[in-house]
Amino acid sequence: MIDLHTHSTFSDGTDTPRELINFALSAGITTLALTDHDSIAGWEEAKQSVRGNLSLVLGAEISCLTSDGISVHMLGLLFDGANAKMAQMLSETRDSRIPRMKKMIELLNNEGIDITMEDVLNVVADGATVGRPHLADALVARGFIASRNEAFDGLLNNDSKFYVSHLAPTPEVAIAQIKEAGGVSVIAHPFASFRGATLELDAFEPLVKAGLNGIEVNHRDQTETERLQLLDIAKGMSLVITGSSDYHGAGKLNSLGENSTDPRQWELLEAMADQRRVVKQ
Ligand code: AMP
Ligand code: ZN
Ligand code: FE
Ligand code: FE
């Protein structure tokens, strides 16, 4: 079973890369991608933890913003981790997540919700990308809400008055950068409409021109109708079709392998990278 989108404690997942790999092995996953938000900090531990017949795909989920302000997540897989421009793009986004978090905290404080940056940093693992799920955890720890889910249903939703965006490359820039670093790009959950505004149909062509390789069609945040629309787009544009869990450990209900990628689609995708970079024991 092939699962091309998962998170560890190096972003907002709750399993370390080692734990993630162990869970993947027991869940019957044969090919697993580690795709922490805007970070490759978990790659080293993941590489060292690979065992059995598991194939490890190193990647990242890159936060992007279109010129219209629509949030897009781009999975970059199999790129060269030593590429300096890629590292810079990722670190700029990570850095800007700190003032962004402070602004969200300020907005919450203004409404009488007593939470501090220290509370948030207390629930962030060392070296992890800071995100809204951490703010949710801090709000849970302080007793304001019961769960991450409750936070995303209300206070921390994309449409909430407390929501603040952070610096991020456009999807085209991210795709070009992934390609330049030898990797492949798959747009993550593009029609997950309940999260907020999504791309229009005509937005895919410029992405394909920039070098987009695939579309994540099967993802729990997309309805059957949304998946069928994406399937049409993927087929019409000769893009690879993927499915994945977007596993976050205990941070979300998503379970490893709940959606997966067809081996033939993975074969096509892997062949689009500039070299073989899958890690085996
Ligand atoms: P950010 O990148 O800081 O804007 O936070 C977005 C992250 O929140 C994404 O990685 C999602 O996986 C996560 N997220 C979205 N909805 C939920 C939810 N209902 N429960 C937990 N995490 C969520
Ligand atoms: Zn996440
Ligand atoms: Fe995402
Ligand atoms: Fe994700």
Side-chain angles (χ1 to χ4, degrees), residues 7 11-12 37 61 133 246 248 252:
H7 298 268
S11 61
D12 52 2
H37 296 287
E61 183 176 16
D246 201 359
H248 279 68
K252 271 184 157 186

Side-chain angles (χ1 to χ4, degrees), residues 245-256:
S245 66
D246 201 359
Y247 176 77
H248 279 68
K252 271 184 157 186
L253 296 173
N254 313 28
S255 56
L256 280 166

Side-chain angles (χ1 to χ4, degrees), residues 124-197:
V124 179
D126 275 351
T129 304
V130 179
R132 276 180 286 163
H134 299 113
L135 179 52
D137 290 348
L139 290 166
V140 171
R142 283 275 192 153
F144 288 110
I145 52 168
S147 67
R148 280 189 180 185
N149 250 335
E150 188 182 330
F152 280 91
D153 283 342
L155 284 182
L156 305 186
N157 193 271
N158 284 27
D159 299 324
S160 152
K161 62 179 174 180
F162 302 114
Y163 179 77
V164 177
S165 62
H166 54 77
L167 277 183
T170 63
E172 285 88 345
V173 165
I175 290 166
Q177 184 54 63
I178 293 163
K179 200 178 185 64
E180 199 184 302
V184 295
S185 53
V186 176
I187 186 168
H189 48 71
F191 281 176
S193 56
F194 79 88
R195 290 185 181 204

Side-chain angles (χ1 to χ4, degrees), residues 62-142:
I62 303 173
S63 314
C64 303
L65 268 182
T66 68
S67 49
D68 298 334
I70 295 173
S71 163
V72 170
H73 287 176
M74 193 62 63
L75 296 168
L77 306 174
L78 300 172
F79 60 85
D80 175 11
N83 185 283
K85 279 174 68 188
M86 175 64 89
Q88 194 192 340
M89 185 176 83
L90 297 178
S91 74
E92 276 172 12
T93 301
R94 284 198 309 274
D95 289 351
S96 91
R97 283 170 164 276
I98 302 295
R100 175 264 195 144
M101 183 57 67
K102 288 180 177 161
K103 271 188 218 153
M104 289 190 73
I105 289 169
E106 196 184 312
L107 292 174
L108 288 162
N109 290 164
N110 291 344
E111 297 281 317
I113 299 169
D114 185 20
I115 194 91
T116 65
M117 189 65 184
E118 204 187 341
D119 293 330
V120 174
L121 293 178
N122 276 338
V123 297
V124 179
D126 275 351
T129 304
V130 179
R132 276 180 286 163
H134 299 113
L135 179 52
D137 290 348
L139 290 166
V140 171
R142 283 275 192 153

